[in-house]
């Protein structure tokens, strides 16, 4: 289990492969705000809904100075299929060994259909221009979450 981040914490640095195998680093976004969201698996209903919601609102977020990066334990090949199938515009990166997911506190025990297991906890971390955590939201719902984030950020 990993420690959850709190506002004011320094966001853990990362460099992960995107759907095309290119490296994406948090440092590449310095000077802009970044919404880093963690989801369990590409090509699943809830994760698709969330990724489509972020894609649909990407222009609104970008014009307010926010970049969006989705992180899952998937390999680049699966992310590419996900992007193509759903016509996604958000940057998707894979963290197969879950080191970054754990560093952000988005990995741990969760319940699904009455069973308890360990996995990716659907989470959204908003990082400011200086690389500090502005908001840390854990156990978020896939449906309606993006609208709530936009409202909370005053975008």
């Amino acid at each position: 289990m990993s420690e959850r981040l709190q506002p004011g914490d320094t966001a853990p640095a990362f460099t992960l492969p995107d759907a095309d195998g290119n490296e994406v680093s948090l440092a590449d976004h310095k000077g802009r705000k970044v919404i880093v969201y963690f989801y369990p698996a590409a090509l699943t209903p809830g994760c698709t809904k969330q990724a489509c919601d972020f894609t649909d609102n990407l222009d609104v977020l970008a014009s307010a100075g926010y970049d969006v990066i989705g992180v899952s334990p998937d390999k680049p090949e699966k992310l590419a299929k996900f992007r193509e199938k759903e016509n996604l515009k958000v940057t998707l990166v894979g963290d197969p060994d879950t080191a970054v997911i754990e560093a952000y506190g988005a990995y741990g025990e969760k319940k699904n259909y009455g069973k308890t297991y360990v996995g990716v906890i659907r989470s959204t971390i908003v990082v400011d221009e200086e690389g500090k955590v502005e908001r840390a939201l854990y156990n978020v719902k896939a449906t309606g979450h993006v609208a709530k984030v936009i409202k909370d950020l005053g975008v």
Side-chain angles (χ1 to χ4, degrees):
M1 293 331 137
S2 41
E3 282 291 310
R4 292 188 167 184
L5 297 175
Q6 301 295 325
D9 289 350
T10 298
F14 65 82
T15 300
L16 293 169
D18 69 7
D20 299 313
N22 300 316
E23 291 193 339
V24 174
S25 296
L26 183 61
D28 298 341
H29 299 269
K30 193 145 178 72
R32 284 185 61 81
K33 294 184 178 203
V34 186
I35 296 170
V36 184
Y37 80 96
F38 298 88
Y39 62 99
L43 300 166
T44 58
C47 298
T48 298
K49 172 82 178 112
Q50 190 176 21
C52 288
D53 281 355
F54 271 118
T55 292
D56 292 346
N57 289 287
L58 206 54
D59 290 344
V60 171
L61 290 163
S63 65
Y66 291 91
D67 295 335
V68 179
I69 302 172
V71 183
S72 73
D74 299 305
K75 291 185 168 33
E77 303 78 39
K78 187 173 180 189
L79 296 174
K81 273 187 205 150
F82 187 32
R83 181 185 64 197
E84 303 314 314
K85 181 175 188 274
E86 302 299 337
N87 200 20
L88 301 172
K89 303 283 184 253
V90 291
T91 300
L92 301 173
V93 297
D95 182 20
D97 65 7
T98 70
V100 173
I101 296 168
E102 290 180 46
Y104 274 78
Y107 194 84
E109 204 171 86
K110 56 194 222 170
K111 282 185 171 37
N112 199 13
Y113 301 111
K115 285 188 177 161
T116 301
Y117 62 99
V118 174
V120 177
I121 297 164
R122 192 180 305 279
S123 309
T124 299
I125 310 299
V126 180
V127 181
D128 72 14
E129 300 89 342
E130 302 302 315
K132 297 273 188 219
V133 174
E134 191 176 292
R135 291 169 192 262
L137 310 164
Y138 293 95
N139 293 310
V140 302
K141 300 273 183 245
T143 305
H145 176 64
V146 175
K148 183 178 178 343
V149 167
I150 288 170
K151 182 174 181 268
D152 289 352
L153 294 174
V155 174

